[in-house]
Amino acid sequence: MVFKKMLSAFGVGGPSVDTVLANPNTRPGLTLDGHVNLVGGDAPASIEQIAVGLVTRVEIESGDAEYGGVMEFHRMGVSGPLELAPKQQLSIPFRLAVPWETPVTDVYGQRLHGMTMGLRTELAVARAVDKSDLDHVAVHPLPIHERILDAFQALGFRFKHADLERGHIRGVQQTLPFYQEIEFFAAPQYANAVTEVELTFVTSQRGVEVVLECDKRGGFLSAGHDVVGRYAVPHSDAGRTDWVQVVDGWLRETTSRYGNLRAHGGFGAPHGHGRGHGMGGVVAGTALGVAGGLVAGELIEDAFEGDFGGDFGGDFE
């Protein structure tokens, strides 16, 4: 009996947890619905709490170094304390609201190279090792995102990479402790002035703030540098705007801030759409609480590096 109790303390013969999502595909502002399925172990178990949370990989800058960490950025309790009898089966439904700022992971049916997302289930068992489960989640773009991404493709931009940067964009209202950067190689008609463009969506219930960072190639005697433009668009504009013209206007307006662009064979005079103004870089993120802190535990890291890690397929061209 003492040996059984010792095994239970180390998670052997204890309860198991398996979360099943009704649909792993979602969009910002929608929900993830599912059930947390529990099976009792060899002995009665006191469950202290069951919680689910969205986790993703975030790039973190510290001094001159940059490293990746797995971060839980949204969390919800599914159940409070309960007693689970030996071999008892229990299924608990949940509905998790997906934050509006949740980054896009899948476009045109393919995973964006560099993006990871999962739903972590945590089962806190009294006087025993906590149990965890991790499920793949695919976050698809909203219509406003799709129109803008379509415009970049129509203009000839080629997708390069996507990642999440820990921190806050100056002048932009953010609720999450990171922002997404979707990187493109410049289209041929912009290549004389721009090497790459980084696109960031900061989405809310009202619309999306679009941040463009244009990287200018350096010349033989001059170093390259970046300029930034910011544009606010309501969701209602998604279906009634010529987005190729709009995005082209944004790019012309943003890159016109190089000042000497025309003299170096770039675009003509800017004819920007929307309300663009310089951002001035980013500032470091504030101290993070439980939701927004780095998730500890080899299980989470292993899952991202295994089933969820790597390239997730190609780009979305």
XYZ file of all heavy atoms in Angstrom, residues 222-285:
470
model
N 26.607 53.640 -48.301
C 25.601 53.984 -47.310
C 24.988 52.721 -46.714
O 24.853 51.708 -47.392
C 24.485 54.833 -47.945
O 23.830 54.100 -48.958
N 24.652 52.817 -45.429
C 24.038 51.691 -44.738
C 22.536 51.675 -44.976
O 21.927 52.716 -45.226
C 24.327 51.798 -43.244
N 21.954 50.504 -44.915
C 20.512 50.412 -45.039
C 19.829 50.852 -43.752
O 20.453 50.943 -42.691
N 18.543 51.169 -43.839
C 17.782 51.513 -42.651
C 16.301 51.226 -42.904
O 15.903 50.924 -44.024
C 17.999 52.975 -42.243
C 17.581 53.966 -43.284
N 18.388 54.317 -44.342
C 16.443 54.685 -43.426
C 17.767 55.213 -45.093
N 16.583 55.450 -44.557
N 15.507 51.315 -41.836
C 14.104 50.940 -41.892
C 13.205 52.165 -41.731
O 13.569 53.129 -41.067
C 13.761 49.942 -40.784
C 14.645 48.716 -40.813
O 15.225 48.432 -41.878
O 14.756 48.047 -39.772
N 12.027 52.086 -42.340
C 10.974 53.062 -42.079
C 9.699 52.295 -41.761
O 9.513 51.165 -42.202
C 10.740 54.013 -43.272
C 11.916 54.951 -43.467
C 10.448 53.235 -44.544
N 8.826 52.941 -40.994
C 7.628 52.272 -40.511
C 6.400 53.113 -40.799
O 6.421 54.335 -40.650
C 7.736 52.009 -38.989
C 6.463 51.343 -38.468
C 8.936 51.143 -38.690
N 5.325 52.464 -41.246
C 4.037 53.118 -41.432
C 2.963 52.365 -40.681
O 3.055 51.145 -40.504
N 1.926 53.084 -40.248
C 0.861 52.458 -39.471
C -0.477 52.906 -40.029
O -0.688 54.101 -40.264
C 0.998 52.861 -38.003
C 0.284 51.919 -37.059
C 0.587 52.263 -35.609
N -0.150 53.419 -35.170
C 0.312 54.315 -34.307
N 1.536 54.209 -33.854
N -0.450 55.325 -33.923
N -1.401 51.949 -40.208
C -2.675 52.226 -40.875
C -3.792 51.490 -40.164
O -3.694 50.291 -39.914
C -2.594 51.797 -42.345
C -1.446 52.440 -43.070
C -0.184 51.850 -43.080
C -1.614 53.656 -43.719
C 0.886 52.456 -43.713
C -0.542 54.272 -44.359
C 0.697 53.667 -44.347
O 1.755 54.291 -44.960
N -4.868 52.197 -39.826
C -6.013 51.607 -39.133
C -7.130 51.320 -40.126
O -7.489 52.178 -40.934
C -6.506 52.547 -38.039
N -7.677 50.098 -40.068
C -8.708 49.680 -41.011
C -9.828 48.976 -40.242
O -9.563 48.039 -39.481
C -8.143 48.707 -42.066
C -9.209 48.368 -43.096
C -6.912 49.279 -42.735
N -11.097 49.371 -40.419
C -12.206 48.659 -39.769
C -12.502 47.342 -40.483
O -12.234 47.182 -41.676
C -13.375 49.631 -39.906
C -13.054 50.441 -41.118
C -11.560 50.565 -41.159
N -13.073 46.396 -39.755
C -13.431 45.107 -40.357
C -14.421 45.282 -41.511
O -14.403 44.506 -42.474
C -14.055 44.186 -39.299
C -13.077 43.683 -38.283
N -12.049 42.821 -38.590
C -12.975 43.940 -36.952
C -11.365 42.548 -37.495
N -11.894 43.217 -36.485
N -15.248 46.293 -41.422
C -16.283 46.490 -42.439
C -15.717 46.831 -43.813
O -16.418 46.730 -44.818
C -17.241 47.605 -42.004
O -16.538 48.817 -41.770
N -14.440 47.234 -43.878
C -13.830 47.569 -45.170
C -13.385 46.340 -45.960
O -13.003 46.460 -47.122
C -12.612 48.480 -44.963
C -13.002 49.938 -44.788
O -14.217 50.215 -44.769
O -12.110 50.794 -44.675
N -13.412 45.158 -45.329
C -12.827 43.975 -45.959
C -13.426 43.667 -47.320
O -12.710 43.301 -48.258
C -12.985 42.760 -45.042
N -14.742 43.833 -47.470
C -15.381 43.402 -48.702
C -15.631 44.480 -49.729
O -16.178 44.196 -50.795
N -15.229 45.724 -49.461
C -15.598 46.771 -50.399
C -14.452 47.722 -50.758
O -14.664 48.881 -51.072
C -16.755 47.594 -49.818
C -16.464 48.287 -48.492
C -17.589 49.261 -48.161
N -17.324 50.076 -47.012
C -17.845 49.884 -45.808
N -18.654 48.856 -45.604
N -17.570 50.697 -44.807
N -13.222 47.223 -50.715
C -12.063 48.059 -50.995
C -11.152 47.377 -52.002
O -11.012 46.159 -51.990
C -11.280 48.340 -49.690
O -12.160 48.933 -48.737
C -10.108 49.277 -49.927
N -10.540 48.172 -52.876
C -9.528 47.655 -53.793
C -8.224 47.531 -53.011
O -7.441 48.476 -52.916
C -9.362 48.613 -54.979
C -8.359 48.094 -56.005
O -7.654 47.106 -55.709
O -8.266 48.693 -57.087
N -7.991 46.349 -52.470
C -6.888 46.199 -51.537
C -5.524 46.238 -52.204
O -4.537 46.603 -51.569
C -7.075 44.922 -50.719
C -8.095 45.128 -49.665
C -9.368 44.652 -49.628
C -7.957 45.953 -48.510
N -10.028 45.119 -48.524
C -9.189 45.918 -47.813
C -6.910 46.729 -47.994
C -9.391 46.608 -46.622
C -7.115 47.417 -46.814
C -8.335 47.358 -46.146
N -5.418 45.868 -53.453
C -4.139 45.993 -54.149
C -3.736 47.470 -54.228
O -2.590 47.830 -53.946
C -4.211 45.368 -55.558
C -2.941 45.665 -56.348
C -4.414 43.854 -55.448
N -4.686 48.324 -54.571
C -4.409 49.759 -54.641
C -4.089 50.322 -53.251
O -3.178 51.144 -53.092
C -5.605 50.499 -55.236
C -5.365 52.004 -55.406
C -6.602 52.724 -55.916
O -7.700 52.154 -55.909
N -6.434 53.949 -56.346
N -4.827 49.878 -52.254
C -4.607 50.373 -50.896
C -3.219 49.991 -50.384
O -2.472 50.829 -49.879
C -5.694 49.839 -49.943
C -5.331 50.122 -48.484
C -7.038 50.461 -50.274
N -2.862 48.715 -50.510
C -1.568 48.261 -50.002
C -0.429 48.916 -50.785
O 0.588 49.323 -50.200
C -1.474 46.722 -50.052
C -0.064 46.249 -49.729
C -2.478 46.104 -49.073
N -0.592 49.034 -52.096
C 0.421 49.730 -52.892
C 0.573 51.179 -52.406
O 1.687 51.691 -52.285
C 0.028 49.712 -54.367
C 1.023 50.473 -55.232
O 2.191 50.036 -55.317
O 0.637 51.511 -55.808
N -0.544 51.829 -52.095
C -0.491 53.191 -51.574
C 0.218 53.262 -50.239
O 1.008 54.178 -49.977
N -0.071 52.293 -49.356
C 0.621 52.259 -48.070
C 2.131 52.136 -48.256
O 2.902 52.828 -47.593
C 0.136 51.065 -47.258
C -1.249 51.176 -46.720
C -2.034 52.294 -46.648
C -2.022 50.110 -46.161
N -3.246 51.999 -46.089
C -3.272 50.663 -45.775
C -1.796 48.760 -45.956
C -4.271 49.895 -45.191
C -2.790 47.990 -45.379
C -4.019 48.556 -45.005
N 2.531 51.241 -49.143
C 3.963 51.022 -49.363
C 4.635 52.264 -49.938
O 5.742 52.642 -49.538
C 4.171 49.824 -50.293
C 3.800 48.461 -49.689
C 3.656 47.410 -50.783
C 4.859 48.036 -48.679
N 3.967 52.924 -50.885
C 4.523 54.143 -51.467
C 4.643 55.246 -50.407
O 5.645 55.948 -50.335
C 3.657 54.612 -52.637
C 3.713 53.708 -53.859
C 2.719 54.159 -54.922
N 2.752 53.300 -56.087
C 3.532 53.499 -57.158
N 4.364 54.523 -57.174
N 3.487 52.667 -58.181
N 3.592 55.369 -49.595
C 3.618 56.407 -48.568
C 4.692 56.135 -47.523
O 5.427 57.032 -47.106
C 2.254 56.504 -47.894
C 2.184 57.583 -46.816
C 0.795 57.701 -46.237
O -0.155 57.915 -47.013
O 0.667 57.561 -45.002
N 4.796 54.873 -47.098
C 5.787 54.526 -46.074
C 7.203 54.717 -46.584
O 8.045 55.329 -45.924
C 5.582 53.069 -45.612
O 4.273 52.927 -45.072
C 6.601 52.689 -44.550
N 7.476 54.205 -47.784
C 8.842 54.298 -48.303
C 9.200 55.717 -48.738
O 10.378 56.035 -48.874
C 9.042 53.325 -49.481
O 8.033 53.571 -50.469
C 8.951 51.890 -49.028
N 8.210 56.585 -48.951
C 8.524 57.974 -49.291
C 9.249 58.670 -48.146
O 9.883 59.713 -48.341
C 7.245 58.747 -49.646
O 6.448 58.971 -48.494
N 9.210 58.091 -46.959
C 9.893 58.689 -45.819
C 11.400 58.519 -45.887
O 12.122 59.059 -45.045
C 9.347 58.088 -44.515
C 7.860 58.329 -44.353
C 7.344 57.921 -42.985
N 5.898 58.117 -42.947
C 5.004 57.153 -43.014
N 5.400 55.902 -43.117
N 3.722 57.417 -42.978
N 11.868 57.737 -46.851
C 13.313 57.682 -47.049
C 13.853 59.034 -47.517
O 15.041 59.286 -47.463
C 13.671 56.614 -48.102
C 13.503 55.202 -47.623
C 12.817 54.272 -48.390
C 14.036 54.783 -46.417
C 12.665 52.966 -47.974
C 13.885 53.477 -45.987
C 13.200 52.575 -46.768
O 13.049 51.290 -46.344
N 12.970 59.895 -48.041
C 13.369 61.234 -48.443
C 14.010 61.275 -49.814
O 13.523 61.948 -50.714
N 15.090 60.565 -50.002
C 15.810 60.613 -51.274
C 15.474 59.424 -52.158
O 16.234 59.070 -53.052
C 17.327 60.651 -51.031
C 17.822 59.428 -50.304
O 17.027 58.632 -49.813
N 19.136 59.273 -50.217
N 14.315 58.798 -51.925
C 13.953 57.595 -52.674
C 13.885 57.853 -54.172
O 14.400 57.103 -54.979
C 12.611 57.061 -52.158
C 12.092 55.779 -52.803
C 13.063 54.645 -52.543
C 10.735 55.430 -52.242
N 13.255 58.964 -54.562
C 13.079 59.251 -55.989
C 14.430 59.405 -56.682
O 14.632 58.946 -57.797
C 12.249 60.505 -56.156
C 11.794 60.748 -57.595
C 11.026 62.047 -57.725
N 9.945 62.113 -56.757
C 9.209 63.209 -56.593
N 9.447 64.298 -57.291
N 8.240 63.209 -55.709
N 15.372 60.035 -56.007
C 16.683 60.254 -56.610
C 17.440 58.955 -56.832
O 18.344 58.888 -57.662
C 17.516 61.180 -55.721
N 17.076 57.914 -56.108
C 17.748 56.633 -56.253
C 16.951 55.655 -57.108
O 17.144 54.450 -57.053
C 17.998 56.012 -54.870
C 19.130 56.658 -54.128
N 18.936 57.756 -53.320
C 20.458 56.386 -54.100
C 20.090 58.124 -52.790
N 21.032 57.308 -53.260
N 16.002 56.180 -57.886
C 15.289 55.311 -58.832
C 14.154 54.537 -58.221
O 13.798 53.473 -58.719
N 13.561 55.059 -57.152
C 12.456 54.357 -56.516
C 11.137 54.744 -57.125
O 11.019 55.007 -58.322
N 10.104 54.852 -56.290
C 8.770 55.138 -56.780
C 8.631 56.614 -57.127
O 9.471 57.431 -56.816
C 7.728 54.819 -55.710
C 7.943 53.507 -55.047
C 8.167 53.446 -53.693
C 7.936 52.329 -55.774
C 8.349 52.240 -53.064
C 8.138 51.119 -55.149
C 8.348 51.071 -53.789
N 7.472 56.935 -57.729
C 7.121 58.329 -57.929
C 6.574 58.916 -56.644
O 6.755 58.370 -55.565
N 5.860 60.030 -56.774
C 5.310 60.687 -55.591
C 4.315 59.771 -54.894
O 3.577 59.028 -55.533
C 4.617 61.988 -55.988
N 4.294 59.778 -53.558
C 3.394 58.895 -52.822
C 1.941 59.305 -52.995
O 1.620 60.471 -53.123
C 3.844 59.070 -51.366
C 4.465 60.427 -51.323
C 5.099 60.620 -52.666
N 1.067 58.302 -52.983
C -0.360 58.598 -53.018
C -1.068 57.666 -52.042
O -1.927 56.885 -52.389
C -0.933 58.451 -54.434
C -0.639 57.121 -55.060
N 0.524 56.842 -55.691
C -1.396 55.995 -55.140
C 0.497 55.605 -56.176
N -0.656 55.060 -55.833
N -0.643 57.755 -50.787
C -1.067 56.788 -49.775
C -2.548 56.849 -49.478
O -3.199 57.870 -49.622
N -3.064 55.710 -49.021
C -4.448 55.590 -48.582
C -4.437 55.412 -47.073
O -3.491 54.904 -46.500
C -5.119 54.364 -49.236
C -5.104 54.434 -50.721
N -6.187 54.810 -51.452
C -4.118 54.165 -51.628
C -5.891 54.771 -52.741
N -4.642 54.364 -52.861
N -5.506 55.795 -46.420
C -5.583 55.601 -44.979
C -4.798 56.661 -44.239
O -4.475 57.717 -44.761
N -4.482 56.355 -42.962
C -3.795 57.323 -42.123
C -2.489 56.706 -41.671
O -2.456 55.938 -40.713
C -4.671 57.693 -40.915
C -5.964 58.389 -41.317
C -6.825 58.697 -40.123
N -7.290 57.494 -39.457
C -6.991 57.184 -38.209
N -6.220 57.972 -37.512
N -7.455 56.082 -37.672
N -1.384 57.016 -42.312
C -0.104 56.440 -41.948
C 0.765 57.441 -41.230
O 0.789 58.607 -41.555
N 1.514 56.962 -40.230
C 2.487 57.816 -39.574
C 3.545 56.939 -38.952
O 3.342 55.786 -38.647
C 1.833 58.709 -38.513
C 0.953 57.986 -37.556
N -0.336 57.621 -37.874
C 1.173 57.564 -36.292
C -0.885 57.017 -36.838
N 0.012 56.952 -35.880
N 4.739 57.489 -38.774
C 5.870 56.715 -38.302
C 5.653 56.170 -36.912
O 4.965 56.754 -36.089
N 6.254 55.017 -36.628
C 6.071 54.374 -35.342
C 7.265 54.597 -34.436
O 7.129 54.787 -33.246
C 5.838 52.882 -35.557
C 5.608 52.087 -34.287
S 5.446 50.347 -34.647
C 7.112 49.926 -35.088
N 8.463 54.555 -34.996
C 9.645 54.797 -34.181
C 10.128 53.587 -33.419
O 10.720 53.711 -32.355
N 9.912 52.391 -33.931
C 10.476 51.201 -33.312
C 9.582 50.595 -32.257
O 8.420 50.931 -32.113
N 10.132 49.676 -31.489
C 9.364 48.985 -30.461
C 10.054 49.160 -29.127
O 11.232 49.479 -29.058
C 9.236 47.476 -30.782
C 8.518 47.285 -32.087
C 10.599 46.807 -30.810
N 9.283 48.975 -28.082
C 9.844 49.009 -26.736
C 9.630 47.653 -26.106
O 8.757 46.889 -26.500
C 9.170 50.103 -25.879
C 9.502 51.468 -26.425
C 7.659 49.923 -25.837
N 10.440 47.340 -25.120
C 10.389 46.019 -24.500
C 9.071 45.808 -23.791
O 8.438 46.744 -23.316
C 11.539 45.882 -23.497
N 8.644 44.537 -23.710
C 7.395 44.207 -23.045
C 7.476 44.434 -21.540
O 8.548 44.418 -20.940
